Amino acid sequence: MGTAGKVIKCKAAVLWDQKKPFSIEEIEVAPPKAKEVRIKILATGICRTDDHVIKGAMVSKFPVIVGHEAAGVVESIGEGVTTVKPGDKVIPLFLPQCGECNACRNPDGNFCIRSDITGRGVLADGTTRFTCKGKRVYHFANTSTFTEYTVVDESSVAKIDDAAPPEKVCLIGCGFSTGYGAAIKTGKVTPGSTCAVFGLGGVGLSVIMGCKSAGASRIIGIDLNKDKFEKAMAVGATECISPKDSTKPISEVLSEMTGDTVSYTFEVIGRLETMVDALASCHMNYGTCVLVGVPPSAKMLTFDPMLLFTGRTWKGCIFGGWKSRDDVPKLVTDFLAKKFDLDQLITHILPFTKINEGFELLYSGQ
């Protein structure tokens, strides 16, 4: 492309500070350095994790370009890049896969040492590729997709099938993969089992899709917002309940409903109270509870250790347990083979300049 090796000026949604709306700005995106890839973003999803940065629940440096759920095309590559080339369709990865660290080498590991969930805000060499109005702008989670062009490390990009529609498969960059994998890979849901899913946003719906795919016979959706029940039932929930409809603890409600047979629970909200509720709601001896929602930073959890002593398993889950560079291309192939339907997870498609409206839709539960 004619832009290779040059600075690109483009539009980006910049967050200048916490609790401020996005500002659509013209930014400069520097060319990729060695082992880096510059990507033209074609479509990006809105995820609650981006909102955690706005609200201050997640640590970040400012100004920053957030966004981490996207699909695009490689515009140019830096020296030494061997796994993608200009013109390749790709998904940027907030969870890199360097292939060399302990987590990457372990067959059960996926939390690569190069991950940035602590808000470093820079690429592997310690610098950023974005500037705006003469100021450097920080990266977010190795991706920064709320911009027309971004630069990522080679370990944070997966080449996907050229036939994949970007406005759908962008969800495989975070929300869908996280929920679907939480059920299939992390929770290892078994055929005929009973599952309960706390939180029926996009990731929660993806957990339900994973439980259904794994053969669960009963999938109970739980949310305070009953407007979400119809969509949950459409993707595979067998019933839905609101904790507001009973004075009893939700764990007791679920126990009575199921005859105390809930094998798997999933917390897909990121609230400390619901994390303990979800743990208490799976079977006291053989139950597994998976934490999927991003917890608020700098908060500590208090719970009764007897909940674990009787035999329950409590598991964390990042990106659904997938090894990002290995598994994302396979998930895209599965989508193209119609093994799951992403249309159910897409409620609105907006032009990039209406990104603030997109977040209003998120806040209102739509």
Side-chain angles (χ1 to χ4, degrees), residues 201-228:
V203 181
L205 296 175
S206 302
V207 173
I208 291 172
M209 290 161 79
C211 293
K212 184 182 178 185
S213 176
S217 60
R218 198 167 178 188
I219 305 167
I220 303 163
I222 303 158
D223 204 297
L224 297 172
N225 181 354
K226 291 185 178 181
D227 293 341
K228 298 193 171 186

Side-chain angles (χ1 to χ4, degrees), residues 113-184:
I113 196 169
R114 293 195 178 177
S115 305
D116 180 17
I117 60 165
T118 56
R120 284 196 317 269
V122 290
L123 295 184
D125 76 338
T127 63
T128 86
R129 301 291 164 269
F130 303 128
T131 51
C132 181
K133 298 177 180 172
K135 288 184 180 166
R136 72 174 169 181
V137 178
Y138 289 99
H139 296 249
F140 171 67
N142 304 299
T143 47
S144 292
T145 62
F146 290 171
T147 168
E148 292 175 318
Y149 287 87
T150 190
V151 178
V152 302
D153 292 305
E154 186 180 13
S155 57
S156 294
V157 66
K159 182 186 185 312
I160 60 168
D161 192 310
D162 273 344
E167 74 285 357
K168 295 182 182 180
V169 298
C170 62
L171 297 173
I172 292 174
C174 178
F176 171 75
S177 304
T178 296
Y180 190 70
I184 288 177

